Amino acid sequence: MYSGSIKMNSSRRKLNDAGKRFTPQRALVMDIIRQGRGHLDADEIFRRARERESRLSLSTVYRTLHMLKELDMVDELHFGENHHHYEAKPAREHHHLVCLGCGRVIEFSYPLSRYLKKAVPEMKGFDINEVEISVAGYCDRCRRARRR
Amino acid sequence: MYSGSIKMNSSRRKLNDAGKRFTPQRALVMDIIRQGRGHLDADEIFRRARERESRLSLSTVYRTLHMLKELDMVDELHFGENHHHYEAKPAREHHHLVCLGCGRVIEFSYPLSRYLKKAVPEMKGFDINEVEISVAGYCDRCRRARRR
DNA sequence: ATGCAATTGCAAATCATTTGCAATAATAAT
DNA sequence: ATTATTATTGCAAATGATTTGCAATTGCAT
């Protein structure tokens, strides 16, 4: 099935260290998430994976996504829909602008968790695990189009 | 069914102005969301409503939630689960800390959208409709309990 | 090479939400 | 007040997203 990539070996190591097996299915899903440059949902990952390996099952995709999330190798994003999106763990903290017009996702880097820890008193004593912010609105293009 | 409340008349007005009817079912759902002090999900709203009006249907709850969201009378919150939570439109912008240990939700007021508009260059030209931030982690109590 | 436990595919189950439709009821017009 | 109009309701069935049980398969440590 899928084999080569720069990250493969380090992925294999991470899985094995966690007592997991490095299977072709998992390598494939990881690769697609990486290539996807963020923001694919489970079904889209499944469809793309299937093009390469037609016997792959949707359950395996879901199971893999869970595991990768657990091992902190992907982030699960919530855009206010009733399904989630996934992206490879990014190097720097960043967040997303979702355009309600065209669905486009714009990334912006911002160390929000660091900022909030300082700015919000309620954060004292709260052990932050993850900060997720999503901003919905209309991007430049769509904004122009809307006000006729 | 349900009848009196300080806000009833203003709700009725808002609905009627939007060409909607003010039905007992809708009044009931609105009341429960308000009493719920935020953070109820659709099913919990349904269960509580059913205690007062056993013939109410779940579809009506969903339909009402949609409508209230549309009319900007409730906010829909996304805590990274595969269902949503609802709260009556709050007076001041605030956000949520969700404890992964006990599920407790801690609110904090913070004018984040105003701040972000200034701090993030990518926001230029983006017409912000809604900002939602959720912070997951462990609250004071659970944090103590976890490190044994 | 071998054995055992982890993982897979498949189908069926479950959970969250939506929809079609005939019956009912809120509002506007009389 | 009565009536006509049309939105809304309850119910059951449909859909969409995710999870689970299980027998067959396959990684990986030995």
Side-chain angles (χ1 to χ4, degrees), chain B residues 129-146:
Chain B
N129 214 284
E130 188 185 318
V131 173
E132 186 187 347
I133 166 168
S134 76
V135 183
Y138 292 90
C139 72
D140 215 5
R141 267 205 298 274
C142 292
R143 188 167 46 80
R144 286 172 211 279
R146 278 160 61 80

Side-chain angles (χ1 to χ4, degrees), chain B residues 30 32-34 36-41 45 65 68-69 72-77 79 84-96 105 107:
Chain B
M30 284 185 254
I32 284 172
I33 293 173
R34 269 184 230 117
R37 309 206 53 58
H39 327 129
L40 305 182
D41 61 29
I45 292 167
L65 290 172
L68 293 173
K69 202 172 76 162
D72 222 56
M73 294 169 69
V74 307
D75 281 337
E76 188 180 62
L77 307 176
F79 293 156
H84 313 311
H85 292 248
Y86 299 85
E87 73 177 357
K89 196 74 178 180
R92 295 201 291 129
E93 179 176 350
H94 72 263
H95 306 279
H96 304 86
V105 176
E107 285 183 8

Side-chain angles (χ1 to χ4, degrees), chain B residues 12 16 21-22 24 58-59 62-63 66 82-84:
Chain B
R12 174 188 291 271
N16 288 354
R21 292 176 183 176
F22 186 80
L58 184 55
S59 331
Y62 276 110
R63 284 189 277 229
H66 269 141
N82 44 12
H83 61 267
H84 313 311

Side-chain angles (χ1 to χ4, degrees), chain A residues 39-53:
Chain A
H39 326 129
L40 304 183
D41 61 29
D43 202 61
E44 180 62 23
I45 291 167
F46 175 60
R47 269 183 280 116
R48 294 189 187 191
R50 255 206 164 184
E51 285 171 15
R52 297 208 229 156
E53 178 46 63

